[in-house]
Amino acid sequence: MATIKVNRPKLSAGEKIYFGSIFKGMAITLRHAFKTLFGKSVGADELASSGMGITMQYPEQKWDEHLPEYYRGVPALVTDEQQRERCVSCQLCEFICPPKAIKIIPSEIPSDDEWAKVEKRPKKFEIDMIRCIYCGMCEEVCPEQAIYLRPDYIVTGTKRSDMVHDKERLYEIGGTRVGLVNKWNDLK
Amino acid sequence: MSEDATATAELKLPKDLAAEKGLVNVQIDGHWIQVPRGTRMIEAAKIAEKEIPHYCYHPKLSSPGNCRMCLVQMGMPPRPVPGEAPTFGDDGYQQIGWMPRPVIACANTVAENMGIRTTGELVESCREGVMEFLLINHPLDCPICDQAGECKLQEFSVQHGRGQSRFQETKIKKPKNVDIGKNIRLDDERCIMCSRCIRFMEEVAEEPVLGFSQRGTHTSVTVHPGRRLDNNYALNTADICPVGALTSNDFRFQMRVWFLKETKSIDLNCGTGCNTTIWTRANEVFRVTPRQNNDVNSDWMPDSHRLAFHHLESDARLTAPLIQKDGAHSSSTWTEAISKAAEGLNMRQPKEVAIIASARMSNEELYLAKKLADALGTDLISTVARKGDSDSKLISADRNPNSTGAALIFGNEDPSEKLDAIREGVSSGRIKALIVLQEDLLEEAGFDQSNLLGLEHLVSSHILANPTAAASKVVLPGAGFAEKRATYVNVTGRLQRAFQATLAPGDAREDWETLASLLSAVEKTFETPASVDGVIKALASEIPAFEGQSFGSIGDLGVQITETGVTIPLLEQEKARVESGLING
Ligand code: SF4
Ligand code: SF4
Ligand code: SF4
Ligand code: SF4
Ligand code: FES
């Protein structure tokens, strides 16, 4: 293996006595401290901070307007324009989910149902939000575009069971998505 | 060896050396191997550990060669012109002249000096073409399809397909979700017309109700008008269907196969002891499928037996030991239940005690039951015979899975011989205490309610609540077939093993533990083994037929430990088909 020789950077005399850098740092801190006495810090307006500093007063104030479009909040199920369940309980998201937060019990759509052609939908669909790490794998793997990470990020509860989102809750968060889903078509 | 003999050995060509052993030399992907004469090319490749993708070929069925997935390139030495002697190279083989056209590997047999190429441009482009045609009208709704995860079409499409469809036209519509039998659902759009199901019903189940109708791209599998696929072997078609066209009504949409754990086990619904795989997730059994064993069940299994696992999740499961006080049962601890049971036994004379065991119990359990009888000083121990009609295929007339084991362990040709004596003793009041293991006496044993109520002490062990348990002073909950590691001997005298797939619910215990605790409560010198292996060890050292056997020595396919002379009809039929050259076997 070739040996690469790395030379130490040459330090000037001022740099060699390291007090210089310490004072530089202190000066920056002090500058911000004084600035807050006379007005808000840089960026504080943008984040709608309440006090003089940059600190946001959560939960009175929220990030919401500042969330980027790609923000990954809670995963939720979506229906199509006609309120049909997009999920076919293929269980791929359950398989891919790294912390095993998703639990699905599939079921067959009865043959007298209007959408019997699709054959399958979830009987139970639960996401344990204590486990979820908001990785977005479920959204990526879903072959039916049925699960999305929504911008919602507030998940609270007083019991463990409050933190488990069931199918109903997931559809409530998820809402409706527009777009063609092939499985309803008679001809492919 | 004389000089002469060495010289001739050197002169012998590979073809002569192979011919002496009834073999032929085949070159597979550049390597020469020897395989038996008459082997199919696809099987020869399997010996060389080369996979040839295929759909319609199944070693236990005839080979119509209709899917064309198994195309390979074949070569033979050029035919010499009359009078010309064949020339052999330095390695002793003739040069192979490769054919420009592919051949199917499933229906052609090997020949001396044949060459097979399972890879290469020609073969790969053939596979790609076949895959493209198979997928033209395929719905490709794998997210919904129940076969996803174990679908050969999915697998080969990834391995050999194009990845993109060039088909622009509208796909053909075919019947979907067709109810063709009580256990099977048909989806014609997913069918790839391999005809395995049709051949199975005709050749193995011998009830040819399936067939193709229409022609060309409209070809679809149908059940004969007015008939249904209600054969007791119908679910095997779902196993061999390479795609999701035939699915089991019981299993479909219950769980994805990639979540399921496979445990090797055996079927305990009759004396044949079909080899099975139990598919579980967490502590729940989802399905049972046959596992290949050419000495027991070939590749098949009757539907009635594979669906019988549902009793494990029954509401009637016993989950805690029960003690009867003033006519009502209440749950108790194991220690209390065992001491209560032993107390009632210890106070009787040996003549007043009897044991009714079951030939559904494993060898280990039967051995401990026998030990318990010895400890109590009684020779009244019997199983309950359970006879039915053989279906001339796999279901044996003996509906007990371990009659042979019981006979060996009890040292009695007919282990159920003493049942009449026990029944008579109970009704005359001579027998005052009875231990009943895994049998409901009101069924095959022929007892009636008054017999049971007349007993002073009745201890029974069951999986499900039943009238015998209701009449018992002490009820000990047991473990079902999937919930214990155990060995059994089938009707032909084959020792087989079953692994534990799930845990027994609640406080229920494996029966060998229950029996061992009872035994140590009755006989203070008895040393409880640490695990069931200890019981097998004791059994192997005591009963000659089991000598030297352990859980490990049995292997996945079992070992023959005794000859009973019983044969399995389906295997005989299969042997005849192999001999007539109809199937490969
Ligand atoms: S991957 Fe999509 S379609 Fe499949 S179960 Fe999850 S949400 Fe449903
Ligand atoms: S976002 Fe990640 S952790 Fe959360 S449910 Fe989806 S796959 Fe699981
Ligand atoms: S049969 Fe196979 S390829 Fe076809 S939809 Fe089912 S899983 Fe997919
Ligand atoms: S239903 Fe299955 S086994 Fe029968 S022909 Fe079609 S693909 Fe083959
Ligand atoms: S497997 Fe050879 S043609 Fe189908």
Side-chain angles (χ1 to χ4, degrees):
Chain A
M1 222 161 89
T3 315
I4 302 169
K5 213 169 161 187
V6 181
N7 290 320
R8 282 176 183 280
K10 279 254 179 295
L11 298 179
S12 68
E15 281 166 336
K16 274 184 187 161
I17 40 167
Y18 56 85
F19 287 111
S21 318
I22 291 179
F23 287 125
K24 224 191 245 172
M26 281 176 146
I28 294 174
T29 313
L30 274 175
R31 198 169 69 233
H32 279 287
F34 278 114
K35 264 192 178 169
T36 55
L37 287 180
F38 301 110
K40 296 197 171 187
S41 330
V42 186
D45 286 334
E46 202 180 312
L47 289 175
S49 84
S50 59
M52 292 195 281
I54 202 162
T55 312
M56 175 190 278
Q57 301 299 311
Y58 183 85
E60 288 80 16
Q61 289 178 324
K62 290 192 178 129
W63 268 96
D64 297 10
E65 300 101 74
H66 302 279
L67 294 182
E69 206 198 313
Y70 48 80
Y71 182 80
R72 300 198 308 247
V74 295
L77 293 174
V78 299
T79 50
D80 76 345
E81 306 91 313
Q82 300 175 44
Q83 306 307 310
R84 297 178 293 204
E85 287 183 55
R86 280 193 175 188
C87 173
V88 295
S89 58
C90 72
Q91 296 185 288
L92 282 176
C93 52
E94 180 175 2
F95 181 71
I96 203 83
C97 178
K100 298 195 189 336
I102 302 180
K103 195 170 167 229
I104 299 169
I105 298 181
S107 70
E108 186 168 355
I109 301 181
S111 47
D112 53 7
D113 192 285
E114 190 187 351
W115 299 108
K117 174 183 175 288
V118 177
E119 293 189 89
K120 207 180 168 191
R121 67 179 161 217
K123 179 156 81 189
K124 234 169 135 180
F125 198 119
E126 288 178 352
I127 305 185
D128 186 346
M129 294 313 298
I130 299 178
R131 283 180 164 231
C132 177
I133 55 170
Y134 304 90
C135 63
M137 296 275 220
C138 47
E139 174 177 335
E140 203 160 318
V141 81
C142 180
E144 303 288 347
Q145 287 94 46
I147 191 165
Y148 284 93
L149 265 61
R150 306 291 307 164
D152 311 48
Y153 54 86
I154 306 164
V155 187
T156 52
T158 50
K159 301 192 288 300
R160 266 167 189 268
S161 57
D162 285 353
M163 302 296 282
V164 178
H165 287 174
D166 59 7
K167 196 170 121 173
E168 209 174 295
R169 177 103 184 84
L170 289 169
Y171 277 118
E172 191 185 307
I173 305 173
T176 308
R177 278 256 161 168
V178 186
L180 177 73
V181 178
N182 262 331
K183 67 181 179 194
W184 313 117
N185 290 4
D186 243 1
L187 293 176
K188 289 209 174 78
Chain B
M1 204 188 266
S2 76
E3 226 169 69
D4 239 28
T6 334
T8 23
E10 267 172 18
L11 282 178
K12 267 196 185 159
L13 289 165
K15 71 176 172 81
D16 302 321
L17 289 171
E20 280 167 14
K21 292 180 272 179
L23 305 173
V24 291
N25 295 295
V26 194
Q27 191 203 57
I28 298 175
D29 291 344
H31 296 281
W32 288 98
I33 64 161
Q34 294 187 334
V35 298
R37 192 177 292 282
T39 308
R40 305 270 166 99
M41 288 161 79
I42 200 167
E43 292 291 330
K46 208 182 277 170
I47 296 171
E49 296 183 4
K50 297 279 178 188
E51 194 204 16
I52 298 180
H54 58 276
Y55 291 115
C56 69
Y57 174 73
H58 190 286
K60 304 289 167 63
L61 302 174
S62 59
S63 314
N66 58 9
C67 75
R68 315 315 277 183
M69 189 62 194
C70 64
L71 289 169
V72 291
Q73 197 174 14
M74 191 250 287
M76 288 298 287
R79 207 169 285 168
V81 286
E84 188 194 8
T87 51
F88 295 93
D90 291 342
D91 54 0
Y93 297 109
Q94 283 174 275
Q95 197 172 357
I96 296 172
W98 293 99
M99 302 208 178
R101 287 189 313 157
V103 297
I104 51 170
C106 65
N108 286 304
T109 51
V110 292
E112 178 56 42
N113 215 94
M114 180 189 266
I116 300 172
R117 282 183 183 154
T118 69
T119 52
E121 205 185 319
L122 172 75
V123 177
E124 269 146 35
S125 63
C126 285
R127 285 178 192 161
E128 198 184 290
V130 171
M131 279 311 302
E132 192 171 11
F133 276 120
L134 284 178
L135 291 176
I136 275 185
N137 284 309
H138 200 82
L140 284 179
D141 51 358
C142 309
I144 300 172
C145 179
D146 210 42
Q147 190 82 359
E150 52 178 4
C151 174
K152 287 283 178 236
L153 195 62
Q154 265 187 335
E155 285 166 24
F156 294 151
S157 166
V158 171
Q159 276 175 24
H160 309 292
R162 304 173 41 90
Q164 284 263 308
S165 171
R166 292 184 292 178
F167 190 70
Q168 313 251 315
E169 292 76 1
T170 317
K171 295 194 178 205
I172 283 177
K173 291 274 315 157
K174 285 188 192 172
K176 273 180 99 70
N177 207 345
V178 195
D179 173 25
I180 54 168
K182 64 174 188 291
N183 294 328
I184 293 271
R185 203 79 62 85
L186 168 70
D187 186 312
D188 262 318
E189 283 186 354
R190 295 194 180 115
C191 171
I192 55 165
M193 274 71 73
C194 71
S195 82
R196 273 183 178 190
C197 54
I198 299 173
R199 281 173 286 142
F200 173 83
M201 288 313 292
E202 185 172 332
E203 295 166 19
V204 182
E206 293 170 322
E207 194 188 342
V209 290
L210 293 179
F212 285 135
S213 65
Q214 317 280 23
R215 286 174 18 167
T217 47
H218 294 273
T219 312
S220 22
V221 165
T222 35
V223 60
H224 190 278
R227 299 288 298 274
R228 279 170 67 80
L229 184 58
D230 280 341
N231 191 283
N232 198 25
Y233 288 83
L235 275 175
N236 292 298
T237 60
D239 292 339
I240 57 173
C241 179
V243 291
L246 295 172
T247 47
S248 153
N249 277 339
D250 184 61
F251 176 65
R252 69 192 242 122
F253 303 153
Q254 295 305 302
M255 190 49 65
R256 284 301 188 189
V257 284
W258 55 73
F259 289 118
L260 301 179
K261 182 184 83 178
E262 295 165 57
T263 307
K264 291 179 176 136
S265 184
I266 59 168
D267 170 45
L268 298 186
N269 291 294
C270 79
T272 305
C274 291
N275 287 216
T276 60
T277 305
I278 302 178
W279 302 70
T280 53
R281 185 178 187 196
N283 210 32
E284 194 180 341
V285 179
F286 280 90
R287 68 171 175 184
V288 173
T289 54
R291 176 164 59 87
Q292 188 184 48
N293 186 340
N294 289 337
D295 291 312
V296 180
N297 57 320
S298 184
D299 282 19
W300 323 117
M301 180 176 184
D303 293 5
S304 49
H305 291 189
R306 74 162 93 195
L307 297 178
F309 71 88
H310 286 293
H311 74 267
L312 292 179
E313 62 221 36
S314 153
D315 287 339
R317 278 303 291 265
L318 295 167
T319 54
L322 303 172
I323 294 179
Q324 193 185 46
K325 227 179 264 158
D326 311 321
H329 284 101
S330 58
S331 55
S332 78
T333 62
W334 273 99
T335 328
E336 202 185 331
I338 295 286
S339 69
K340 193 102 191 161
E343 190 183 298
L345 296 170
N346 284 337
M347 59 194 266
R348 316 276 158 196
Q349 295 298 314
K351 270 210 270 333
E352 297 171 346
V353 187
I355 300 180
I356 297 179
S358 170
R360 288 169 166 172
M361 289 158 66
S362 68
N363 294 323
E364 299 76 46
E365 292 159 12
L366 286 165
Y367 171 75
L368 290 176
K370 178 83 174 67
K371 285 263 140 204
L372 183 62
D374 294 347
L376 292 169
T378 175
D379 63 350
L380 285 178
I381 176 167
S382 171
T383 62
V384 178
R386 193 171 270 113
K387 293 272 175 235
D389 289 327
S390 159
D391 70 346
S392 311
K393 295 229 169 330
L394 283 173
I395 302 180
S396 159
D398 182 356
R399 295 296 154 83
N400 279 325
N402 201 17
S403 305
T404 320
L408 291 170
I409 290 161
F410 291 179
N412 187 344
E413 230 8 41
D414 176 12
S416 59
E417 191 186 28
K418 299 200 181 109
L419 185 65
D420 292 338
I422 298 175
R423 196 188 312 114
E424 196 268 317
V426 169
S427 60
S428 72
R430 192 157 34 83
I431 294 174
K432 298 201 167 59
L434 188 62
I435 304 174
V436 182
L437 303 166
Q438 298 180 26
E439 285 288 354
D440 181 7
L441 298 185
L442 300 191
E443 284 174 8
E444 281 88 348
F447 281 60
D448 58 40
Q449 195 74 29
S450 62
N451 293 148
L452 299 183
L453 296 178
L455 283 161
E456 283 173 26
H457 191 58
L458 176 59
V459 178
S460 68
S461 147
H462 304 278
I463 300 170
L464 302 180
N466 59 32
T468 307
S472 301
K473 297 280 180 300
V474 182
V475 185
L476 305 166
F481 74 97
E483 296 159 354
K484 56 192 177 193
R485 200 154 67 98
T487 68
Y488 305 83
V489 187
N490 82 351
V491 276
T492 67
R494 198 174 184 83
L495 178 62
Q496 308 197 92
R497 67 180 182 191
F499 283 99
Q500 182 179 25
T502 53
L503 294 171
D507 270 351
R509 267 197 202 171
E510 294 183 44
D511 292 83
W512 78 267
E513 286 183 82
T514 311
L515 285 162
S517 325
L518 257 183
L519 200 45
S520 57
V522 169
E523 191 176 63
K524 297 286 175 274
T525 55
F526 176 78
E527 269 180 51
T528 311
S531 74
V532 73
D533 296 276
V535 187
I536 302 180
K537 205 164 160 196
L539 166 73
S541 65
E542 210 168 298
I543 316 275
F546 291 86
E547 204 186 320
Q549 299 298 349
S550 67
F551 220 79
S553 74
I554 296 171
D556 286 341
L557 300 179
V559 281
Q560 203 73 28
I561 57 165
T562 173
E563 287 300 338
T564 56
V566 178
T567 54
I568 298 167
L570 186 124
L571 291 187
E572 302 303 310
Q573 295 154 12
E574 201 161 276
K575 234 179 263 166
R577 286 203 300 280
V578 173
E579 268 156 29
S580 67
L582 191 67
I583 63 168
N584 223 38

